[in-house]
Amino acid sequence: MPKSLHKKITPQASILADLGMDSLKVVELTVLLEKQLGRPVFLPEWIASVDDPADLTVESLARFLSEKK
Amino acid sequence: MTSAGCTGEVRGGILYLTLDTRGSSINVLTPAVALELEQELERGLAAGARAAVLLSAKPGSFVNGVGLLLAASSHAESAAMERARTLQRCYERLAAAPVPTIAAIEGNCYGCGLELALTCDYRLAADTSDTHFYMSEIRDYAFIPLFGGTQRLPPLLGLGAGMRMLLGERATAKAALRMGLVDRLAPQGVRRALPSLLRELRARGWPKREAAVGVQAGSKRGASLVGSTRGASLAGSRRGAREALPRIAALPGPERELARDCLRLARLPGRRGYRLEDGLREELASFWRTVGKPESGRAMSFFFTRQSAKVHGIGSASYERPARLAVELDGGTPALRGLGRLLRVRKLAGVTLRAAGGAARNGRATIGAADRGRAPARIGRAGRAAAKNGAAGSAPFAIAFAQEKVAGLLTCALGALGTSADCAALLPFPGEPVPAIELVPASAERPWRGGTILFQLLEQAGFAPVVTRARGRFVSERLLDAFHGALAGSTAAQARRALLDFGFRLPAALALGLGKRTPRGLVERREPATAWPSRAAARAARDPAGSADLAARAAEAVAAEAIRALDDGALGHASQADLLAHVLFGFPVVHGGLLRFVAAGSGETARAAARVLGRRAS
């Protein structure tokens, strides 16, 4: 991963605006998360849960994942 | 600063706008890209360009869509609205350009991408299979298009053909030419065809296409460029007007209301006193109304499920394929001949098809003689390396469709499991527009990266591939059996009506075969069909319930079998079960994935579905 991207990944970083993710990358993220966590992950639920796509932050993702345990 | 996805260059007085979305294997018109397009257009016009051409740098993709899926999925109207506005401005500027605009289309032209091409005066298309046209909004995402599709397609093609496109019919480049969606085909690629088209425009004084909206005669200058067999753009409307409208009652239940809304919008351009901006405003209002509904949200979430199944199958959601690919076909069985026919018809750029045979083999470039006879997995990896070099003109990657393993080639055998080939495949409904094809690799590699190129070839040729780890029987066969079992005790007509009302889009062969033990179209099974202990079937026999129940029972039966397949390892991930349900039975996207739908119910299967989805037990 380029160093420039590393620095961008903060809890407040929005996956759309700051990290430049698109729907296909969200899919790849899902697969990686499932591997890490050892359980199914369905991100559309997370996406639908926020009021503003700008709220799709690293922090809100972490919260979503911990709530689903 | 690197471009987000659109660069502009004025050459010989012509503005060339090249689309190449950074960091994506397909072109997506994100707000950033749309902004660039707008700026480059303005810059080019200010520099005195006499015409503007829209091109793509990605051969397989003209424009596959806009980056709205995430924003729209979040139900945040204001945020999605802002993104939509940025995109809309780009469409408006292009439509209002004072010079003739040409969309030079090569690769997928879907949804908003098709709408972008519609804002141009003229459309030129390459005659390859990945150059095809499809409105995904209503069919895949259950919302009304928002960039003018409902207002531009009907006047251009006629109400009947316009509605069919809007409701999700796919059109090849040739079909697009016949219906007037495209003005000219480019047999040798769009870049070769552009110079002569531009010369004609110059000779006629750079005419804009006369608006096809509303009633008018229009000048003949622009019209004569629009195909030799068609006159003024109005001819398309006249021909199309004779074409029957799709019957709304014949559509799957959940699609009917959307279709009615779409028809209302499609009729607006024909009204007296119509103005395009009013029509676009109405269309936008319908978009917001429909995109906010739960059906649309669930349909959009299915996009992720579909891609997830692909990633679990081959390890990547990427849409690339090597620049050159050789495909060898052994016409040994009717099924293989049928597949060969399909691949030949759906010809892809850079893919050469040839019959299996000694002469062909000697002539073909292999991935390396040294790779012959090695284990399939290694061929896969070596193939990927070769594939990367494919564009540089080295040996093309080679695939074979044959009954047995062809040394040195990634071989796919259509038919029974337990083949010596690298993968077995089942094509239960070859007659469908997007036929499902189940791939079962021999390799233990998970995900099956070695199968990437085969998978992508099939996907881009218009099939719906799904990778499974079936043992003994194809998962598709198990699911089809469960489906039929659940319908036992009802008549074919009852079943068809019930399933349609629920939203199933059954393959034609499956719908026809309802009520018969072995549906038409299935590859003949070697072993006798076993009697699966199906609770649903037993219940159905005891209790001839109403039709609403019938569809739910069928869904439950398929889900139960899919869960069994997940538990015994034939399926690797829940998303693959959902994808199979969609491509085999047309399980409606407005219910999201099959398993999620069933999990929302009650009973044993619902609990099992929740379990495989990782939900807490209720």
Side-chain angles (χ1 to χ4, degrees):
Chain A
M1 196 197 315
K3 271 233 164 72
S4 54
L5 196 54
H6 243 289
K7 275 185 276 187
K8 285 191 186 171
I9 304 173
T10 65
Q12 293 75 37
S14 144
I15 65 162
L16 260 186
D18 300 317
L19 303 181
M21 289 192 70
D22 60 17
S23 1
L24 286 183
K25 296 235 168 54
V26 169
V27 175
E28 287 174 20
L29 177 62
T30 304
V31 177
L32 289 171
L33 287 171
E34 289 182 336
K35 215 180 282 185
Q36 277 284 75
L37 300 172
R39 59 176 169 86
V41 171
F42 192 57
L43 291 186
E45 276 178 26
W46 168 55
I47 294 168
S49 72
V50 303
D51 283 330
D52 186 331
D55 291 336
L56 292 172
T57 59
V58 177
E59 189 172 24
S60 91
L61 175 59
R63 211 177 314 128
F64 170 79
L65 291 171
S66 66
E67 277 165 19
K68 286 279 158 178
K69 261 206 291 276
Chain B
M1 176 152 117
T2 33
S3 143
C6 183
T7 52
E9 193 194 344
V10 179
R11 273 197 324 267
I14 309 291
L15 170 64
Y16 294 91
L17 297 160
T18 305
L19 298 165
D20 191 3
T21 306
R22 190 178 65 206
S24 171
S25 50
I26 52 175
N27 276 342
V28 179
L29 198 72
T30 64
V33 177
L35 219 61
E36 277 183 355
L37 206 167
E38 210 190 314
Q39 286 163 356
E40 292 298 334
L41 179 62
E42 268 181 47
R43 204 171 296 164
L45 290 174
R50 305 309 303 270
V53 178
L54 211 53
L55 288 153
S56 164
K58 296 180 165 69
S61 163
F62 176 70
V63 177
N64 280 62
V66 303
L68 265 188
L69 206 60
L70 283 180
S73 304
S74 77
H75 307 302
E77 243 194 62
S78 55
M81 223 184 255
E82 209 192 291
R83 288 171 81 84
R85 246 200 292 272
T86 309
L87 290 157
Q88 236 145 12
R89 244 190 7 249
C90 171
Y91 283 79
E92 277 165 26
R93 295 278 196 270
L94 203 47
V99 301
T101 49
I102 303 165
I105 304 158
E106 200 158 354
N108 298 348
C109 189
Y110 293 165
C112 323
L114 175 49
E115 287 174 300
L116 189 69
L118 286 169
T119 60
C120 296
D121 293 294
Y122 308 105
R123 280 157 295 283
L124 179 63
D127 188 15
T128 62
S129 154
D130 34 5
T131 303
H132 69 273
F133 303 85
Y134 173 62
M135 289 297 286
S136 49
E137 287 84 344
I138 293 179
R139 180 71 86 89
D140 287 345
Y141 303 125
F143 62 71
I144 295 287
L146 77 160
F147 295 119
T150 65
Q151 302 303 292
R152 292 196 170 98
L153 279 170
L156 188 64
L157 311 179
L159 193 58
M163 276 299 291
R164 286 207 331 265
M165 282 302 298
L166 285 163
L167 294 181
E169 189 172 284
R170 286 168 187 266
T172 59
K174 281 209 173 73
L177 179 73
R178 273 196 306 269
M179 64 169 87
L181 180 56
V182 144
D183 300 308
R184 195 173 288 195
L185 284 190
Q188 289 170 323
V190 293
R191 281 164 180 79
R192 293 255 188 102
L194 271 170
S196 65
L197 178 55
L198 289 167
R199 268 198 301 276
E200 286 179 49
L201 284 172
R202 180 185 287 117
R204 288 170 170 78
W206 305 110
K208 298 279 290 173
R209 187 195 200 99
E210 289 304 316
V213 174
V215 184
Q216 85 301 81
S219 86
K220 285 265 195 296
R221 287 162 63 206
S224 56
L225 282 165
V226 176
S228 51
T229 54
R230 297 174 58 246
S233 46
L234 212 46
S237 302
R238 267 186 257 119
R239 185 171 62 232
R242 279 181 256 124
E243 260 199 59
L245 281 175
R247 267 183 61 230
I248 295 201
L251 294 172
E255 295 180 39
R256 289 171 200 154
E257 200 187 311
L258 264 171
R260 265 181 231 116
D261 200 1
C262 183
L263 182 57
R264 181 186 61 85
L265 291 165
R267 286 193 155 125
L268 292 177
R271 295 246 198 95
R272 201 189 344 222
Y274 171 83
R275 290 184 316 163
L276 182 61
E277 58 250 47
D278 297 331
L280 292 175
R281 208 174 307 124
E282 285 260 19
E283 183 191 68
L284 192 59
S286 277
F287 163 73
W288 287 116
R289 196 172 46 244
T290 50
V291 81
K293 291 194 174 161
E295 286 85 352
S296 181
R298 286 190 288 261
M300 287 192 277
S301 78
F302 192 73
F303 168 85
F304 295 95
T305 302
R306 196 194 280 267
Q307 298 301 325
S308 190
K310 180 176 175 183
V311 175
H312 279 93
I314 56 168
S316 158
S318 159
Y319 202 64
E320 285 146 343
R321 79 161 181 272
R324 289 162 64 220
L325 181 55
V327 178
E328 220 174 80
L329 281 159
D330 169 5
T333 60
L336 279 171
R337 279 198 290 278
L339 177 64
R341 233 181 343 257
L342 281 173
L343 285 172
R344 248 186 298 275
V345 162
R346 294 156 182 252
K347 55 184 193 259
L348 293 170
V351 175
T352 28
L353 291 173
R354 43 181 178 233
R361 287 235 195 114
N362 293 335
R364 68 145 158 67
T366 60
I367 29 176
D371 283 320
R372 260 204 191 86
R374 282 198 193 161
R378 299 210 48 185
I379 286 177
R381 279 196 280 277
R384 276 199 312 284
K388 284 206 187 103
N389 298 327
S394 63
F397 191 84
I399 287 176
F401 289 95
Q403 291 165 284
E404 271 153 23
K405 168 78 181 158
V406 173
L409 300 186
L410 177 64
T411 310
C412 177
L414 207 60
L417 295 166
T419 166
S420 58
D422 299 294
C423 100
L426 183 70
L427 184 63
F429 305 114
E432 286 300 290
V434 183
I437 182 163
E438 182 179 342
L439 302 173
V440 186
S443 153
E445 190 192 14
R446 274 173 212 254
W448 184 39
R449 291 178 205 275
T452 301
I453 292 172
L454 169 66
F455 187 104
Q456 284 164 343
L457 166 72
L458 290 168
E459 190 180 50
Q460 285 160 20
F463 291 82
V466 185
V467 177
T468 74
R469 302 286 162 168
R471 273 186 305 273
R473 297 188 76 202
F474 282 100
V475 179
S476 307
E477 288 180 326
R478 292 168 63 175
L479 298 181
L480 284 162
D481 270 357
F483 181 76
H484 284 284
L487 300 175
S490 55
T491 65
Q494 266 179 321
R496 257 178 244 134
R497 173 53 41 183
L499 293 165
L500 184 71
D501 286 346
F502 177 87
F504 280 91
R505 259 188 183 268
L506 293 182
L510 183 56
L512 285 171
L514 284 182
K516 303 180 187 152
R517 187 66 188 92
T518 310
R520 256 180 269 167
L522 265 190
V523 171
E524 192 191 321
R525 286 192 293 264
R526 300 263 180 93
E527 64 254 291
T530 48
W532 290 93
S534 165
R535 278 191 162 162
R539 206 166 33 231
R542 274 197 310 270
D543 166 29
S547 83
D549 261 1
L550 203 71
R553 277 208 308 275
E556 197 184 312
V558 172
E561 189 57 37
I563 292 165
R564 273 193 281 268
L566 279 162
D567 286 339
D568 66 37
L571 287 177
H573 192 263
S575 60
Q576 291 167 332
D578 289 339
L579 184 57
L580 275 171
H582 180 64
V583 301
L584 284 178
F585 305 101
F587 185 79
V589 293
V590 293
H591 289 303
L594 170 71
L595 292 180
R596 209 157 299 268
F597 169 77
V598 168
S602 58
E604 193 184 318
T605 311
R607 282 193 293 277
R611 171 177 54 81
V612 299
L613 289 171
R615 303 248 183 98
R616 274 188 297 258
S618 47

